[in-house]
Amino acid sequence: MNIYFANDIREVDSKADADGLSIFALMENSGQALFREVSSLIQREDEVGIIAGQGNNGGDAIVLARLLLNHGYKATLILPFGLPKSKVAQQHFSYFITCGYPYTQTIENEYDVLVDGLFGIGFKPPFSSHADRVLAYWNQSLALKIAIDIPSGVEADRGNVVTAFKADYTLCLHGVKPSAFLVPSAEYYGTVKSLDIGLVQQSGWRVWTEEDVKQTWPALPNNPHKGSFGTGLLIAGSEEMPGCALLSGLGAMRSGIGKLTIATDKSVAQIVCQRLPEATYWYHTLQQLKENKQLSSMKAAAIGPGLDLDEQLEDKVQFLLNQPDLPLILDAAALQKREYPKGRPAPVILTPHPGEMARITGLSSRWINENRISVARDFAIEHEVTVILKGVNTVIAFPDGTGYINQTGNRGLSKGGSGDTLLGIILGLLCQSEPFSHYTTAVSNAVYLHGKSSEYWAIEREPSAMLATDIMEVWPYLLKQLNLKK
């Protein structure tokens, strides 16, 4: 499922037109794809109202109406705002009239199915009072509601919604728009399906899937030993929050890391060691960190969970950032507003939730939730870091402007400790990836499987009862079920 921002779609359309696939032909392709999908969702006897606006989205609706009528369906083309203004839509409307088909501007008739082609990716609020009345009338209908490309009233790239068509299905043309994954706009999409309209897929964003995990899962080396799976450094835990070190440590060890060193307070080490004797422990003063000769053997490091926010923490983060060949994951208290080194060979990976993202950007949490993809993408590009913006539809944004959306997970992850476990999984998988080159798949697989574990746990149990420790309890069984061994 490829994801396209509004400007991306405009560029794709313009390039297709320049390459010989005219906008007229592209609109015909869109109508054909819509017809194939819509005809699978409706019955022959259904009264279908096709609502067309004055732009190109309305042109797609006009083509769909013609094709439904051509094939004997009971379709009515409705033009509530008058005749099309888009040049290409006008051409298709002329063809529609030439076929002898009528249209209406009346919105009050009753229909079994309503297809929304009012506004497309160019929509910007607010609505006119007439458009408000039109949408209010159709939203109260009990008809099956299908949106073309994007529900009218929803912006392509933003989650903010004032009034919009509440679709049961949204049939996205060529690719899904970011608002299908944002809050609250995602609620207006219903079931989302992406339709092929004859264009080459060139998006830098898409949904990360189970098939992606299976294709990118690392193969076992020949004659493996603990050194084959990397050594990781985890700096976590305090007297007030010793569990953060345990949860992150369990995540790293269960995800297959070869060796794990946990740098923490002595009192925390005594607690965590009882549950995780497989790890080694040392204490995380800045001086010890600088003098420890084991640092050069670390495949990756993570810092933040359960740590106190103080000057020494920032000094540790800066010291680790200045190790150019050490992949570094920052979480919790380590997520602060700062500059990041440019051109650093090894990746820096940030794992904020919206509140933490607000802290490091100065934006409001609401704005971030409504613009999660663009906020994460822009920050990743500007600071040359990878951003894993946690929450429903977790965003994974890379420094080159590309990224993935993860759709696994459930409400069981909405508890303290879940993020600590994710940090450990990322560290564990990162230590098993090839030097730097495969880190993008390692972090994407970590996010996917972290969410999938909550779904696996909830097959026979109530998600709200899940604890963060349960994630790694079901982890081995999930990996076995997915048959990831290579």
Side-chain angles (χ1 to χ4, degrees):
M1 189 180 288
N2 290 278
I3 302 165
Y4 288 89
F5 293 85
N7 282 339
D8 296 335
I9 286 292
R10 294 186 185 100
E11 290 177 8
V12 168
D13 287 352
S14 296
K15 186 176 186 304
D17 193 34
D19 291 343
L21 180 58
S22 69
I23 302 300
F24 182 91
L26 197 56
M27 194 171 286
E28 181 68 22
N29 287 358
S30 298
Q32 294 280 355
L34 288 165
F35 169 75
R36 288 190 293 271
E37 193 62 32
V38 169
S39 61
S40 73
L41 296 173
I42 66 177
Q43 305 297 320
R44 285 277 177 181
E45 60 272 17
D46 286 338
E47 294 287 347
V48 184
I50 313 290
I51 312 156
Q54 295 180 307
N56 283 348
N57 194 252
D60 297 330
I62 290 168
V63 177
L64 172 62
R66 189 192 83 233
L67 293 172
L68 285 171
L69 289 165
N70 283 351
H71 288 82
Y73 287 88
K74 300 177 181 178
T76 301
L77 178 63
I78 309 165
L79 304 177
F81 304 141
L83 301 182
K85 292 183 177 179
S86 156
K87 180 179 178 181
V88 181
Q90 288 173 349
Q91 292 172 329
H92 276 287
F93 180 68
S94 296
Y95 186 19
F96 180 87
I97 295 299
T98 301
C99 291
Y101 297 137
Y103 68 94
T104 182
Q105 290 186 260
T106 303
I107 67 169
E108 285 79 10
N109 295 335
E110 295 297 321
Y111 297 98
D112 302 303
V113 180
L114 285 170
V115 180
D116 164 33
L118 277 179
F119 301 107
I121 61 171
F123 169 77
K124 295 291 181 186
F127 275 134
S128 67
S129 57
H130 179 43
D132 269 336
R133 288 193 299 272
V134 169
L135 281 178
Y137 181 81
W138 279 325
N139 274 338
Q140 71 181 1
S141 170
L142 298 178
L144 176 71
K145 299 182 182 69
I146 303 170
I148 295 175
D149 199 33
I150 185 170
S152 290
V154 172
E155 294 181 69
D157 299 345
R158 289 194 60 197
N160 180 56
V161 175
V162 178
T163 302
F165 186 85
K166 192 71 179 285
D168 298 300
Y169 294 89
T170 298
L171 307 179
C172 301
L173 303 175
H174 187 54
V176 183
K177 312 310 175 286
S179 54
F181 306 98
L182 303 176
V183 177
S185 53
E187 301 171 11
Y188 292 83
Y189 273 81
T191 300
V192 177
K193 184 162 185 179
S194 181
L195 304 185
D196 179 9
I197 58 173
L199 295 172
V200 177
Q201 292 290 354
Q202 296 177 318
S203 173
W205 282 81
R206 63 180 178 84
V207 174
W208 192 253
T209 67
E210 181 178 317
E211 187 59 31
D212 291 315
V213 177
K214 291 181 176 179
Q215 289 183 358
T216 60
W217 195 253
L220 285 173
N222 294 324
N223 303 312
H225 52 84
K226 61 184 179 182
S228 305
F229 305 108
T231 301
L233 172 63
L234 171 64
I235 305 176
S238 60
E239 289 187 357
E240 293 80 12
M241 291 184 282
C244 297
L246 175 60
L247 290 166
S248 299
L250 283 170
M253 293 298 294
R254 284 286 192 188
S255 58
I257 196 173
K259 295 183 286 184
L260 176 67
T261 295
I262 301 178
T264 190
D265 293 340
K266 185 174 183 179
S267 61
V268 175
Q270 292 171 342
I271 296 170
V272 175
C273 185
Q274 297 179 46
R275 283 284 308 276
L276 201 59
E278 297 86 353
T280 59
Y281 299 85
W282 49 273
Y283 309 125
H284 59 51
T285 66
L286 180 62
Q287 192 62 32
Q288 287 171 324
L289 183 63
K290 289 180 177 180
E291 294 176 354
N292 199 296
K293 296 179 181 179
Q294 297 178 37
L295 189 62
S296 61
S297 66
M298 299 297 174
K299 189 78 175 291
I303 182 171
L307 297 182
D308 296 323
L309 179 57
D310 55 27
E311 185 176 332
Q312 192 173 92
L313 172 59
E314 184 59 26
D315 289 340
K316 291 171 190 171
V317 171
Q318 289 297 333
F319 173 75
L320 293 171
L321 285 171
N322 289 331
Q323 310 305 306
D325 295 325
L326 181 68
L328 179 62
I329 312 161
L330 304 179
D331 185 47
L335 294 168
Q336 299 297 328
K337 200 168 188 177
R338 66 168 68 85
E339 293 298 317
Y340 292 89
K342 302 294 185 180
R344 190 178 190 268
V348 176
I349 301 162
L350 280 55
T351 61
H353 55 60
E356 291 165 336
M357 196 67 186
R359 183 171 73 213
I360 64 178
T361 61
L363 302 170
S364 70
S365 295
R366 177 176 177 177
W367 175 268
I368 288 169
N369 274 325
E370 292 177 352
N371 300 272
R372 289 168 57 82
I373 301 175
S374 58
V375 167
R377 177 198 61 184
D378 294 347
F379 191 93
I381 294 171
E382 179 183 354
H383 296 279
E384 297 183 14
V385 297
T386 291
V387 177
I388 299 173
L389 183 51
K390 297 179 290 193
V392 177
N393 296 321
T394 292
V395 179
I396 309 169
F398 301 115
D400 63 357
T402 65
Y404 301 113
I405 300 295
N406 177 69
Q407 293 192 291
T408 62
N410 57 35
R411 66 152 295 181
L413 296 176
S414 302
K415 286 188 177 178
S418 294
D420 302 326
T421 305
L422 173 61
L423 175 85
I425 297 170
I426 296 170
L427 177 62
L429 295 188
L430 201 59
C431 284
Q432 298 168 71
S433 64
E434 293 297 320
F436 309 161
S437 59
H438 292 111
Y439 90 92
T440 58
T441 59
V443 299
S444 302
N445 288 343
V447 174
Y448 180 93
L449 292 170
H450 176 259
K452 198 69 176 178
S453 295
S454 69
E455 296 176 4
Y456 186 91
W457 191 90
I459 291 174
E460 296 181 352
R461 288 161 287 200
E462 166 56 39
S464 62
M466 192 183 80
L467 302 177
T469 49
D470 293 325
I471 297 171
M472 300 321 293
E473 290 299 318
V474 301
W475 180 271
Y477 304 101
L478 172 64
L479 297 193
K480 185 72 173 178
Q481 184 193 61
L482 295 177
N483 192 28
L484 296 178
K485 182 178 178 180
K486 287 186 180 179

